[in-house]
Amino acid sequence: MTLGSLYWQLNDVWPSISWASVDYEGRWKLLHYAARRFFAPQAVVAEHKQGVTRVSFASDATSPVAAEWRLTGYGMDGTKLGEAGGAVTLAPTTATSVPDVSDAAVFANAPVEASYAVAELVIGGKTVSRQIVERALPKAMAYPAPGLAASWDGKAVTITARALARAVMLDFGAVDAQASDNGFDLLPGESVRIEITSKADAAALRKALVLRTLAGEG
């Protein structure tokens, strides 16, 4: 018996617009960064449906893993609305679920399009996996302007978000550059440092960078 998962396709064999996760030059597209997250050794998977959030955890470890989980609801202004969570033992090489969490527990009476939740898996005091939980399709969510700011240190850039920033994309246009992470979420006030690999100099990278999110350019 075999067990696992694959996605199609890995790489482009010629320059094109395609569903591959690595382009013809070997650069990662956003899908490849996402694959690194959803193929992580331990990961949280959350789905909102019919007034509840279902939370599960996948583990590739061959022995049980002690962990904690949190599901925290927020308004678009950053107000904390509610929280659920607790201790969980991740079963080896499979998925472990916890009881469904009702909207009332994490969202209170907030409007569907103006609230979201953050699901987190914590192991050894460190968040190893995180997912934004939307109550509606992304296009229907009332996401605020993220207010992104970029601070450069050589070929490393620190991105800071004033408000929730969904699927932050670092776009360097025609400049050949690869980021150490891309397509990530930032919570209000959160920062992340990204290393850029490129033959272009720091000034060219700084000039070329455009930050994009689901709410538009940062």
Side-chain angles (χ1 to χ4, degrees), residues 2-3 7 19 33 89 95 102 121 123 157 166 173 207 209:
T2 59
L3 180 67
Y7 65 89
W19 53 27
Y33 294 97
T89 299
S102 70
L121 176 61
I123 299 176
V157 59
R166 285 284 283 117
K207 182 178 180 180
L209 177 62

Side-chain angles (χ1 to χ4, degrees), residues 23-28 155 170-179 196-201 204-205 208:
D23 74 13
Y24 178 72
E25 302 292 342
R27 294 168 298 204
W28 289 20
K155 291 188 178 181
L170 285 74
D171 184 355
F172 291 93
V175 176
D176 186 0
Q178 181 167 304
I196 309 300
T197 301
S198 176
K199 292 181 180 180
D201 61 27
L205 292 173

Side-chain angles (χ1 to χ4, degrees):
M1 185 182 77
T2 59
L3 180 67
S5 59
L6 298 171
Y7 65 89
W8 182 265
Q9 71 196 67
L10 177 64
N11 64 303
D12 288 322
V13 295
W14 53 72
S16 66
I17 297 173
S18 76
W19 53 27
S21 66
V22 178
D23 74 13
Y24 178 72
E25 302 292 342
R27 294 168 298 204
W28 289 20
K29 302 182 188 181
L30 293 189
L31 170 58
H32 212 67
Y33 294 97
R36 183 171 62 184
R37 288 188 278 270
F38 60 66
F39 278 131
Q42 284 79 41
V44 61
V45 181
E47 177 191 30
H48 183 269
K49 191 174 182 180
Q50 297 178 343
V52 299
T53 301
R54 300 169 182 172
V55 184
S56 298
F57 313 96
S59 177
D60 291 338
T62 56
S63 58
V65 176
E68 297 181 348
W69 69 279
R70 291 191 294 266
L71 182 69
T72 310
Y74 295 96
M76 291 301 175
D77 61 356
T79 301
K80 183 176 176 179
L81 303 174
E83 186 177 48
V88 63
T89 299
L90 309 186
T93 65
T94 190
T96 302
S97 299
V98 294
D100 293 350
V101 181
S102 70
D103 281 1
V106 290
F107 297 119
N109 296 317
V112 169
E113 72 282 356
S115 56
Y116 64 96
V118 181
E120 297 173 280
L121 176 61
V122 181
I123 299 176
K126 179 182 178 181
T127 299
V128 299
S129 182
R130 186 176 77 178
Q131 179 187 332
I132 301 295
V133 181
E134 295 161 322
R135 302 174 70 189
L137 293 175
K139 66 181 181 180
M141 297 293 290
Y143 286 128
L148 295 177
S151 176
W152 286 87
D153 177 15
K155 291 188 178 181
V157 59
T158 298
I159 310 298
T160 303
R162 185 182 66 247
L164 174 66
R166 285 284 283 117
V168 179
M169 175 186 178
L170 285 74
D171 184 355
F172 291 93
V175 176
D176 186 0
Q178 181 167 304
S180 58
D181 198 7
N182 215 336
F184 50 83
D185 301 315
L186 287 176
L187 301 181
E190 193 171 38
S191 296
V192 63
R193 180 181 171 92
I194 305 295
E195 303 289 338
I196 309 300
T197 301
S198 176
K199 292 181 180 180
D201 61 27
L205 292 173
R206 187 181 300 111
K207 182 178 180 180
L209 177 62
V210 176
L211 297 173
R212 307 184 190 279
T213 72
L214 291 187
E217 292 187 6

